[in-house]
């Protein structure tokens, strides 16, 4: 089955813990998702990507799974899940599960067996290695959450690999039994009727034989010895053959450390592996001042860098692979704060501008919960952050190694922390933003009275209705799916403009990423008597000619 129905779909990501609490325990849950499905149908999205809801001790908010075929108590039961699936389907919304199989929880039964002894049948399900001759870890690999990626287990006399937290041991994909188990579990979910998988750090599953150290210390997400390992395509092809190809799915691989050249294999349109991947170059910071301490220093990409990066992916994958389009997710800060302007004056304008710039490229757009109402970053005192990434980095960089001052680290957390995306969803202006009637598991943004769903639904030019229009256009206009992409004004410091072209038509997308008013002179040759505006964030825009106001964006047909 190779029908590419997802090419004109829009995906909405739910982070269940922070979406909607239905029973007052302060934690979002499946029943909460159920309640809000009508809201998502109103927005018009096609697919929900649900961050993990499986049984988990919750060391990394559910990305540490102890039972792949059960639901975390906090979220409800398998019956609750089935109800969500059924209602979603009745609203024509598909459900894409988060598939976290680079690692399990250390409380998964496989790992509990694995660490009993070297000759336990499950031992080889994980990545175990002997200490070096001085009793130290087998190599210098670092965890994406700081510190060594190896943990010693007395009873076995070996270290196990954990690319993330200590409670997330890496599976050994070279063991055919592991692959078999994973494929069996995936088949179980597919038979239940789910519609796809978002595959967590899937570019990391194939480990480098001999566990070689890279040229530098460290490994982490993009380390050259952790991503895109030698057997990755073999394993993905096998997965495709044994599971994916048998269903009508959408699949997207989270692929840190994979460049556009490599992506052509993962996301090849021949359908032999995955439908598309998430790459992270455009959210990884500037080449001019790169990060040295994981993501905690360095600078954001400049607009020209961002534009060049998007364009590179549009061009490189053209005709051979498919792009995913996103600016935010549960691991990224809020896009309006990061790339736009979250002041009261410009928040809505710049949120719409960013969406215009992103959604009209070629690929499948992803919207992260709250993005559709322009939710913003937060600034809390450091001790209020619960994310394991922040906590570990603080211990490592501020306390132990003293390479970043507490002040600088706090600023970095405000700008970059994953928790920016994980504050509870803002539904209305009542206490706790209508997220819960109890005590929320994590503090709410101070701005929920200003920014919430209720308000957005009441205002016909809100960010919400703008997203709704973008989605409607994506569904209705074939050119947006199939048309060619061509960058305009590659040297401009403020304008991101491009053409989408098919045999019959040509459309232009123009976005001013700055707070300044800028001339559109450079686009003069595209002025035409066929100008027909499709969407704009300043209502009185009718043609190309007039200057662009702060954060103005539009798309119009020109041929
Ligand atoms: C992915 C997830 C992230 C998680 C990590 C480990 O990057 O998106 O949230 O912490 O993998 O599973
Ligand atoms: Ca709850």
């Amino acid at each position: 089955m190779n029908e590419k129905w997802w090419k004109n779909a829009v995906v909405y990501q739910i982070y269940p813990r922070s979406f909607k609490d239905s029973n007052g325990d302060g934690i979002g849950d499946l029943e909460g998702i159920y309640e809000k499905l009508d809201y998502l149908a109103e927005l018009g999205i096609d697919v929900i990507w649900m961050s993990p809801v499986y049984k988990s001790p919750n060391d990394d908010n559910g990305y540490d799974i102890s039972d792949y075929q059960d639901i975390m108590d906090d979220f409800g039961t398998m019956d609750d899940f089935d109800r969500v699936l059924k209602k979603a389907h009745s609203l024509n919304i598909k459900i894409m599960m988060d598939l976290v199989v680079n690692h399990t929880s250390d409380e998964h039964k496989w790992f509990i067996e694995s660490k009993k002894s070297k000759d336990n049948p499950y031992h080889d399900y994980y990545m175990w290695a002997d200490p070096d001759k001085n009793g130290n870890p087998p190599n210098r690999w670092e965890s994406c959450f700081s510190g060594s990626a190896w943990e010693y287990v007395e009873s076995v006399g070996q270290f196990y690999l954990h690319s993330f937290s200590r409670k997330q041991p890496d599976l050994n994909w070279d063991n055919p039994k592991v692959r078999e188990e994973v494929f069996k579990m995936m088949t179980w979910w597919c038979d239940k009727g789910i519609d796809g998988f978002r595959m967590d750090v899937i570019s990391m599953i194939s480990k480098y034989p001999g566990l070689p150290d890279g040229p530098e210390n460290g490994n982490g997400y993009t380390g050259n010895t952790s991503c895109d390992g030698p057997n990755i395509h073999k394993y993905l092809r096998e997965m495709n053959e044994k599971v994916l190809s048998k269903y009508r799915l959408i699949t997207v691989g989270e692929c840190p450390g994979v460049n556009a050249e490599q992506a052509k294999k993962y996301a090849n349109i021949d359908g032999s592996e995955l439908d598309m991947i998430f790459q992270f170059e455009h959210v990884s910071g500037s080449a001019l001042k790169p990060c040295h301490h994981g993501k905690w220093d360095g600078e954001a990409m400049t607009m020209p860098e961002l534009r060049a990066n998007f364009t590179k992916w549009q061009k490189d994958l053209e005709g051979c692979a498919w792009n995913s389009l996103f600016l935010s997710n549960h691991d990224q800060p809020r896009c309006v704060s990061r790339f736009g302007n979250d002041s009261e004056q410009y928040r809505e304008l710049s949120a719409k501008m960013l969406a215009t710039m992103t959604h009209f490229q070629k690929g499948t757009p992803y919207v992260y919960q709250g993005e559709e109402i322009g939710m913003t970053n937060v600034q809390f005192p450091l001790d209020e952050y619960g994310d394991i990434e922040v906590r570990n980095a603080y211990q490592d960089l501020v306390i132990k190694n003293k390479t970043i001052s507490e002040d600088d680290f706090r600023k970095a957390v405000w700008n970059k922390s994953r928790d920016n995306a994980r504050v509870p969803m803002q539904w209305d202006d009542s206490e706790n933003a209508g997220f819960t009637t109890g005590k929320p598991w994590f503090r709410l943004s101070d701005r929920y009275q200003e920014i919430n769903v209720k308000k957005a639904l009441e205002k016909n030019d809100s960010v919400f209705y703008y997203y709704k229009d973008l989605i409607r256009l994506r569904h209705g206009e074939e050119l947006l799916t199939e048309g060619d992409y061509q960058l305009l004004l590659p040297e401009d410091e403020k304008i991101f403009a491009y053409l989408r072209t098919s045999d019959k038509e040509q459309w232009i997308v123009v976005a001013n990423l700055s707070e300044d008013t800028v001339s559109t002179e450079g686009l003069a040759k595209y002025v035409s008597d066929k100008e027909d505006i499709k969407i704009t964030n300043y209502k009185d825009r009718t043609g190309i000619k007039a200057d662009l106001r702060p954060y103005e964006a539009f798309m119009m047909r020109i041929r």
Side-chain angles (χ1 to χ4, degrees):
M1 258 175 262
N2 196 14
E3 187 200 340
K4 295 181 171 41
W5 59 266
W6 36 262
K7 278 176 90 175
N8 74 346
V10 177
V11 182
Y12 184 93
Q13 183 190 354
I14 291 183
Y15 195 69
R17 217 173 181 70
S18 305
F19 192 60
K20 174 75 174 88
D21 175 25
S22 71
N23 60 354
D25 67 355
I27 300 174
D29 45 46
L30 285 163
E31 182 59 30
I33 296 176
Y34 185 90
E35 285 171 22
K36 294 298 179 186
L37 286 172
D38 294 312
Y39 164 73
L40 297 178
E42 163 77 17
L43 181 59
I45 53 102
D46 305 274
V47 181
I48 291 170
W49 150 24
M50 219 188 267
S51 277
V53 290
Y54 314 94
K55 198 65 108 198
S56 156
N58 215 35
D59 188 51
D60 182 22
N61 282 359
Y63 282 89
D64 48 318
I65 298 166
S66 55
D67 187 344
Y68 290 103
Q69 282 160 243
D70 202 351
I71 301 291
M72 197 194 298
D73 292 338
D74 286 346
F75 294 144
T77 63
M78 194 57 84
D79 283 345
D80 296 334
F81 178 85
D82 291 341
R83 285 181 63 235
V84 169
L85 184 65
K86 196 161 166 220
K87 179 164 175 196
H89 284 171
S90 76
L91 293 167
N92 265 323
I93 295 176
K94 296 181 159 58
I95 302 276
M96 174 178 177
M97 300 300 280
D98 214 313
L99 181 79
V100 188
V101 289
N102 174 68
H103 45 268
T104 68
S105 161
D106 65 338
E107 297 180 32
H108 193 288
K109 62 178 189 240
W110 301 337
F111 191 72
I112 294 173
E113 288 299 315
S114 176
K115 69 174 187 199
K116 282 186 180 159
S117 72
K118 277 189 198 161
D119 41 54
N120 187 288
Y122 288 91
H123 188 69
D124 203 31
Y125 270 43
Y126 293 85
M127 300 293 300
W128 291 96
D130 293 331
D132 74 2
K133 55 183 183 308
N134 306 314
N136 293 322
N139 67 21
R140 294 185 312 231
W141 290 0
E142 280 176 359
S143 151
C144 295
F145 295 156
S146 310
S148 169
W150 296 96
E151 181 77 5
Y152 188 68
V153 176
E154 203 70 61
S155 56
V156 203
Q158 284 185 310
F159 287 86
Y160 68 85
L161 176 69
H162 58 90
S163 299
F164 295 88
S165 100
R166 230 175 259 136
K167 289 184 66 61
Q168 293 168 298
D170 284 51
L171 283 165
N172 174 15
W173 273 72
D174 295 332
N175 180 348
K177 283 204 210 113
V178 167
R179 306 203 295 276
E180 211 177 289
E181 297 260 22
V182 170
F183 299 157
K184 203 169 82 190
M185 174 273 285
M186 292 172 72
T187 302
W188 184 86
W189 280 101
C190 291
D191 288 342
K192 196 184 232 323
I194 60 117
D195 307 285
F197 295 106
R198 172 269 184 187
M199 303 183 186
D200 196 64
V201 289
I202 203 72
S203 56
M204 293 169 75
I205 61 173
S206 165
K207 312 299 181 196
Y208 287 79
L211 312 173
D213 270 320
E216 285 174 45
N217 251 12
N219 205 27
Y221 275 109
T222 50
N224 53 6
T225 48
S226 61
C227 299
D228 200 49
N231 289 321
I232 180 70
H233 299 293
K234 176 174 162 216
Y235 299 156
L236 288 177
R237 278 164 189 264
E238 190 180 327
M239 178 196 284
N240 184 293
E241 194 190 302
K242 297 204 166 141
V243 188
L244 308 179
S245 60
K246 304 198 167 131
Y247 303 88
R248 198 169 166 267
L249 303 176
I250 174 172
T251 56
V252 53
E254 189 201 22
C255 289
V258 165
N259 63 32
E261 207 37 52
Q262 296 160 334
K264 292 179 191 170
K265 282 196 181 163
Y266 289 81
N268 199 294
I269 46 176
D270 69 5
S272 55
E273 296 188 20
L274 306 177
D275 297 332
M276 62 198 109
I277 70 161
F278 290 131
Q279 58 88 15
F280 294 92
E281 290 177 358
H282 65 301
V283 288
S284 296
S286 172
L288 304 171
K289 186 169 181 274
C291 295
H292 291 293
H293 298 108
K295 66 185 198 183
W296 305 112
D297 60 0
E299 261 157 40
M301 265 194 182
T302 61
M303 194 287 277
E305 283 178 309
L306 182 72
R307 180 181 56 198
N309 192 268
F310 268 130
T311 301
K312 181 181 81 180
W313 281 83
Q314 288 287 303
K315 285 308 195 194
D316 284 6
L317 267 47
E318 176 71 51
C320 55
W322 191 251
N323 267 299
S324 69
L325 307 169
F326 74 97
L327 290 177
S328 37
N329 64 35
H330 67 295
D331 295 328
Q332 299 293 330
R334 292 287 178 178
C335 62
V336 67
S337 303
R338 185 183 209 171
F339 300 110
N341 182 329
D342 65 10
S343 68
E344 230 171 295
Q345 185 180 7
Y346 290 129
R347 182 184 63 85
E348 292 187 274
L349 277 171
S350 67
K352 294 173 186 171
M353 177 278 293
L354 291 170
T356 313
M357 158 194 111
T358 310
H359 275 239
F360 293 137
Q361 294 179 43
K362 189 167 185 169
T364 299
Y366 287 74
V367 179
Y368 178 68
Q369 71 183 38
E371 183 186 326
E372 80 281 15
I373 56 167
M375 278 175 62
T376 58
N377 280 355
V378 291
Q379 302 188 340
F380 300 154
L382 272 183
D383 58 9
E384 290 193 38
Y385 289 85
D387 183 12
I388 185 163
E389 185 187 44
V390 172
R391 283 190 283 122
N392 289 1
Y394 179 79
Q395 283 307 323
D396 204 46
L397 302 173
V398 184
I399 303 294
K400 197 169 128 219
N401 298 322
K402 304 197 186 336
T403 40
I404 301 187
S405 73
E406 176 146 340
D407 273 353
D408 286 346
F409 186 71
R410 184 182 311 103
K411 271 182 226 144
V413 167
W414 289 352
N415 288 332
K416 297 264 188 72
S417 156
R418 314 195 292 182
D419 275 342
N420 283 306
R422 299 175 180 189
V423 298
M425 180 76 181
Q426 293 151 210
W427 293 104
D428 58 38
D429 56 6
S430 69
E431 203 187 344
N432 294 322
F435 163 71
T436 180
T437 54
K439 186 176 175 306
W441 74 276
F442 188 40
R443 180 169 159 181
L444 284 122
S445 162
D446 301 335
R447 295 179 70 175
Y448 74 77
Q449 271 152 347
E450 170 201 351
I451 309 166
N452 61 62
V453 168
K454 180 162 172 269
K455 222 169 147 179
L457 290 175
E458 282 164 7
K459 198 173 137 205
N460 62 16
D461 65 345
S462 66
V463 178
F464 177 89
Y465 290 114
Y466 197 89
Y467 268 82
K468 187 174 171 172
D469 277 350
L470 294 176
I471 296 168
R472 182 183 46 78
L473 284 162
R474 158 104 12 206
H475 290 157
E477 305 286 352
E478 209 196 327
L479 173 136
L480 293 176
T481 310
E482 300 297 344
D484 219 36
Y485 169 97
Q486 189 197 334
L487 180 69
L488 304 174
L489 309 182
E491 305 297 327
D492 197 281
E493 290 293 318
K494 291 168 184 160
I495 302 176
F496 187 169
Y498 56 89
L499 297 173
R500 297 294 310 272
T501 313
S502 72
D503 312 340
K504 289 173 249 142
E505 294 184 21
Q506 185 161 63
W507 294 22
I508 190 169
V509 178
V510 181
N512 174 10
L513 273 94
S514 79
E515 198 181 319
D516 306 325
T517 298
V518 290
S519 155
T520 58
E521 243 179 273
L523 299 169
K525 74 170 189 231
Y526 300 101
V527 172
S528 95
D529 51 10
K530 295 225 175 53
E531 284 174 0
D532 174 17
I533 196 107
K534 298 286 179 183
I535 192 166
T536 168
N537 62 353
Y538 279 80
K539 282 199 191 104
D540 54 357
R541 164 71 54 180
T542 51
I544 293 177
K545 255 192 196 144
D547 286 354
L548 292 166
R549 288 153 290 183
Y551 303 107
E552 182 162 3
F554 61 83
M555 174 176 75
M556 68 177 67
R557 182 179 166 181
I558 51 174
R559 200 177 74 209

